[in-house]
Amino acid sequence: MTSQVLGGHPYSQPRETPRGWLVVLAAMVGVAVGLSPVPFYTIGMFAPELSKAFGWSFAAMMGSIGVQSAVVMVSGPLAGFAVDRWGPRRVAIVSLLLFGLCFMSLALSNGSLLLYYAQWGVMSVLGAGTLSAAWTRVVNGWFDKNRGLALGFASTGTGLTGFLIKPFTAWIITDYGWRAAFVAVGLLPILIGVPIILLLFHERRGLAATVGSNEAAEVEEYGLTLMQALRSRRFWILAAAFFLIAFALTAPTPNLENILKSFHFELAQIGRITASFGLAVIAGRIVGGWMLDRIWAPACAFVILLVPALGSWLLAGDTLSGQAALAAVLCIGFGAGFEFDLLAYLISRYFGQRNYGMIYGCFYTVIAFGGGLGPVVYGYAFDSTGTYGTALLIGVACVLTGSVLLLLLGAYPVFTAADAANPQQS
């Protein structure tokens, strides 16, 4: 049996060096130009152009995001298997290249909506190696004491994309047209992502092997296999918790503008209020990561997830002032920024690094399902009742229940070489 550590760290050997922060920088860039943020933040820029060119409805074009979510539920675990089998660096480089080419292929759209969806489906398979599993596995391997903070900084890449890529895409569309814009955006992962990953993104295990050290390799491979994890009660506690958390944190995000509109805010005011969401996401990643390094992660999560619960509760009221609306959006954004960092941290602490990619991929499927379901439920609630109040209160209950479930995970296990062959982990 492994020993348990409640608030400390499950690895006894120090592993943090300045070079690890270069890996974090590379991971941040990889996240920024990957499958998760690039299509999500640019689809709104391309939609009016495609509608004008082919007569597609906005609902039909936004269906591409649904296609991506559905495909990622399958391709996420497969990408995790590839990360464990061939290594995160190789998978990330190949996937960045293929993702860029697939995105560029959207410039060849000919008016067939079915073909357009198929392109998104292929892109979601080939680009799945740019999702969080590859980046967080390598960052985990370089850090122990400051692991949460490192994960937080790495995941701020999505916030940088949200801030920079919209004006870039708008400039290309305005000056050169939407087809050129698809090509220009698709070149970003190829011309920026691939060179930086080749130069800076290295597993500590691989680096240690070049100097004849096996310390890092041992640390990297300790932990549970996927089958051992599936037999663990912690796996199913975490799955239930993150389904509820993903549902509650994702559901309000695409509905924020309509939620505020239901309180009769003017469009310009809605734009100013919702613009703060991205900054709150970045703050949630960094502050949450910093706290994870100092507080037992389930307790840290319980405290931080009270913040988005408060945000949803504020939006569920009968009246809403401008100040309360801004506070609510900041609270929800802060919680949304914490979600993926928390998941990566908990997986590394409770299941180890041995089959990290596959285990993370399984949880990505859970998050994709919960996150995809949430906006639909909220939209249906609004269509049926004309208000989001009941749905938002359900979201409050979900996020609070999920945070309580995390407290059942118990102390961090300490993985050793003897545990690698032990099927009785729990």
Side-chain angles (χ1 to χ4, degrees):
M1 297 294 293
T2 58
S3 58
Q4 307 288 311
V5 180
L6 182 60
H9 303 291
Y11 301 115
S12 59
Q13 299 187 31
R15 61 167 78 186
E16 299 182 13
T17 68
R19 182 159 186 172
W21 291 104
L22 293 177
V23 173
V24 170
L25 175 62
M28 181 192 302
V29 173
V31 168
V33 297
L35 177 65
S36 180
V38 171
F40 183 78
Y41 284 116
T42 58
I43 182 62
M45 308 299 295
F46 286 111
E49 306 301 319
L50 294 173
S51 178
K52 185 188 304 181
F54 303 126
W56 295 343
S57 70
F58 275 70
M61 284 180 287
M62 293 303 169
S64 59
I65 298 295
V67 170
Q68 178 178 318
S69 297
V71 174
V72 163
M73 289 179 64
V74 177
S75 64
L78 294 177
F81 169 79
V83 165
D84 289 335
R85 177 66 178 82
W86 292 289
R89 186 168 181 267
R90 291 179 182 175
V91 171
I93 290 169
V94 172
S95 193
L96 281 170
L97 177 63
L98 295 176
F99 165 62
L101 293 173
C102 287
F103 197 90
M104 292 166 67
S105 76
L106 294 171
L108 303 176
S109 297
N110 60 5
S112 168
L113 192 60
L114 182 60
L115 176 61
Y116 180 71
Y117 285 161
Q119 289 173 291
W120 275 75
V122 173
M123 182 170 67
S124 300
V125 173
L126 300 180
T130 70
L131 297 174
S132 299
W135 315 119
T136 56
R137 178 186 171 98
V138 175
V139 171
N140 282 332
W142 280 91
F143 291 89
D144 185 12
K145 182 180 178 181
N146 293 303
R147 181 180 297 176
L149 184 62
L151 288 169
F153 272 110
S155 60
T156 58
T158 56
L160 294 176
T161 302
F163 180 70
L164 296 174
I165 204 165
K166 285 180 180 289
F168 172 76
T169 305
W171 165 57
I172 300 295
I173 289 175
T174 301
D175 287 2
Y176 303 101
W178 63 268
R179 293 187 190 273
F182 273 124
V183 174
V185 173
L187 284 172
L188 296 178
I190 299 172
L191 298 184
I192 296 177
V194 171
I196 289 179
I197 300 309
L198 283 169
L199 182 64
L200 299 178
F201 194 67
H202 297 277
E203 287 187 88
R204 183 169 181 129
R205 178 181 58 186
L207 187 65
T210 65
V211 294
S213 169
N214 64 2
E215 175 262 333
E218 291 174 350
V219 172
E220 282 286 329
E221 295 306 316
Y222 291 173
L224 308 187
T225 65
L226 176 61
M227 292 307 299
Q228 289 170 345
L230 289 171
R231 289 195 293 267
S232 166
R233 67 178 180 85
R234 288 183 174 128
F235 182 96
W236 299 104
I237 290 172
L238 206 58
F242 269 90
F243 172 80
L244 295 172
I245 292 169
F247 176 93
L249 295 186
T250 305
T253 304
N255 288 289
L256 279 177
E257 288 82 2
N258 202 41
I259 291 172
L260 296 181
K261 186 178 178 181
S262 70
F263 287 101
H264 308 293
F265 286 100
E266 297 294 331
L267 185 61
Q269 190 177 10
I270 291 173
R272 288 194 298 270
I273 292 172
T274 56
S276 64
F277 185 86
L279 296 177
V281 167
I282 294 175
R285 297 194 189 286
I286 296 174
V287 174
W290 181 84
M291 290 182 64
L292 283 173
D293 294 325
R294 288 156 176 81
I295 304 173
W296 178 50
C300 176
F302 180 82
V303 172
I304 289 182
L305 291 174
L306 292 175
V307 176
L310 173 62
S312 289
W313 179 78
L314 288 172
L315 294 177
D318 294 328
T319 61
L320 189 70
S321 68
Q323 292 82 358
L326 177 60
V329 169
L330 288 171
C331 287
I332 293 173
F334 188 86
F338 181 62
E339 179 184 4
F340 281 100
D341 300 346
L342 174 64
L343 177 61
Y345 191 93
L346 289 172
I347 291 174
S348 70
R349 291 303 189 200
Y350 285 104
F351 304 111
Q353 292 286 96
R354 188 180 183 194
N355 275 165
Y356 177 88
M358 292 183 66
I359 295 171
Y360 189 99
C362 290
F363 283 108
Y364 202 97
T365 296
V366 172
I367 285 181
F369 181 52
L373 182 64
V376 175
V377 171
Y378 273 43
Y380 177 79
F382 178 77
D383 290 338
S384 301
T385 66
T387 177
Y388 287 93
T390 301
L392 285 160
L393 291 176
I394 291 173
V396 171
C398 286
V399 74
L400 292 178
T401 302
S403 63
V404 170
L405 284 175
L406 293 178
L407 297 175
L408 303 178
L409 290 172
Y412 300 142
V414 178
F415 299 110
T416 65
D419 297 319
N422 181 10
Q424 303 301 321
Q425 301 288 349
S426 63

